[in-house]
Amino acid sequence: MNTDLHVGADAEKVVVSPYPLRTRSGRAGRERTGSLTRFVPRPPSGRGREARVTSTARLALVLLLASAVLSLSGLWWPAAAVSVTLVAAFWRWQARAAQPGVFATPRDGESRVLWAAPERAAFQGALETSRRVRRTWPSLGEMIDPVAADRSLTRALGELGEVLARRQELRRLREELVAVRDADIPADSPARRAADVQRRRTEQAWREAGDAANRILRGVDAAARAGEGFIRERQVAATARHAERTLARVAGVPAPAESGPDLADRTEAVIAAYRDLAT
């Protein structure tokens, strides 16, 4: 079973897939963190057609000279074929780099594509929050298992993509049903009654999808807040201990019976947040 998740966002959509993403135009870099790989479109190179023709002509001239040298040993045909292939590949690469990066739409049944602005914003917000979560792991030490936490977080993002894709479809269906609600047909028409039934079912499914998405969003946010809060409290505790030692050394102030805040409860809060995220 593939536990990796690949995510990419361009100007028109967000793609969430268990498989590596491909671009329809332009280029994209990738940033891998644990089981999550984020694909980021690269900005266009800005090189116009004239500049690309000049660069390609220079490469062709160099390859022509190399082919002429190789032709002396009777290898002119392979050298010419390789030169033509390299020139064509270089031209395509330049042309692609000059275009804005746009991801191809996956055709498999496991990938999800978010087109609607609310769903795209919700997922990208969760993705940024997940980066906050991951940044806390080095400071949490043995409190969490980074491998298990990585899998839980990635799985939560994958489930969020599925829920938001379903909510996106329900959004379209709601709009269609609202459009026919005021149709000029009798109130007792079987068609109107059927549309009313489906509209109520759609509203119910819409609310359930929203609740499911909010639960995941709250879980990811809780994990980020718990980890960041614990780290801040530990920093404050370290500062308090340093101040205590300094005062005892320079001012003769005796140390209190209990110095620094007690972080035991906060530790349990962090662990609980990650348990909730894994469920």
Side-chain angles (χ1 to χ4, degrees):
M1 180 179 178
N2 187 5
T3 59
D4 289 350
L5 191 67
H6 304 267
V7 177
D10 55 35
E12 63 183 17
K13 62 185 177 297
V14 173
V15 183
V16 184
S17 175
Y19 309 107
L21 306 186
R22 308 174 76 176
T23 56
R24 189 175 73 228
S25 65
R27 297 179 300 163
R30 62 179 67 190
E31 303 171 356
R32 183 175 179 86
T33 308
S35 55
L36 175 68
T37 302
R38 185 179 184 184
F39 289 75
V40 181
R42 292 178 179 172
S45 64
R47 293 173 63 84
R49 182 180 179 83
E50 183 176 350
R52 300 199 301 270
V53 169
T54 301
S55 298
T56 305
R58 289 173 178 170
L59 175 64
L61 179 60
V62 172
L63 293 175
L64 179 62
L65 294 175
S67 299
V69 172
L70 291 174
S71 65
L72 298 177
S73 59
L75 299 175
W76 67 272
W77 171 245
V82 171
S83 298
V84 170
T85 301
L86 289 175
V87 169
F90 182 68
W91 173 259
R92 287 197 300 269
W93 179 83
Q94 285 193 109
R96 194 175 187 90
Q99 299 173 332
V102 178
F103 294 105
T105 302
R107 300 302 180 186
D108 60 274
E110 300 176 66
S111 299
R112 302 290 178 262
V113 182
L114 306 177
W115 301 92
E119 281 70 37
R120 290 165 55 193
F123 190 88
Q124 288 181 294
L127 190 62
E128 291 303 316
T129 305
S130 74
R131 299 179 73 177
R132 290 169 47 201
V133 173
R134 293 178 188 276
R135 284 197 293 267
T136 65
W137 292 345
S139 299
L140 296 180
E142 297 181 355
M143 291 175 56
I144 63 168
D145 179 354
V147 175
D150 171 71
R151 291 174 180 170
S152 297
L153 185 57
T154 301
R155 184 169 61 249
L157 290 174
E159 292 173 356
L160 179 62
E162 293 182 7
V163 172
L164 291 177
R166 186 164 67 248
R167 186 174 170 83
Q168 177 180 255
E169 292 299 319
L170 290 169
R171 179 189 301 278
R172 297 195 190 101
L173 184 56
R174 288 177 78 229
E175 293 172 354
E176 293 175 4
L177 290 170
V178 168
V180 302
R181 181 174 56 188
D182 300 327
D184 187 15
I185 58 176
D188 59 349
S189 167
R192 179 182 289 277
R193 290 199 299 270
D196 290 341
V197 170
Q198 297 307 318
R199 186 166 54 251
R200 289 192 293 271
R201 293 180 60 190
T202 300
E203 289 296 331
Q204 177 65 25
W206 166 264
R207 288 192 295 270
E208 291 174 354
D211 292 342
N214 286 332
R215 281 195 298 272
I216 298 173
L217 291 170
R218 285 195 299 267
V220 177
D221 185 67
R225 289 177 180 273
E228 291 169 346
F230 178 82
I231 293 171
R232 283 195 297 270
E233 289 201 37
R234 193 164 61 180
Q235 291 170 345
V236 171
T239 301
R241 289 192 297 270
H242 174 71
E244 175 187 315
R245 290 191 296 267
T246 301
L247 288 171
R249 176 168 50 83
V250 302
V253 177
E258 294 183 3
S259 62
D262 184 3
L263 299 182
D265 292 340
R266 299 305 186 191
T267 301
E268 291 298 326
V270 173
I271 296 173
Y274 278 92
R275 284 174 180 166
D276 292 340
L277 183 62
T279 57

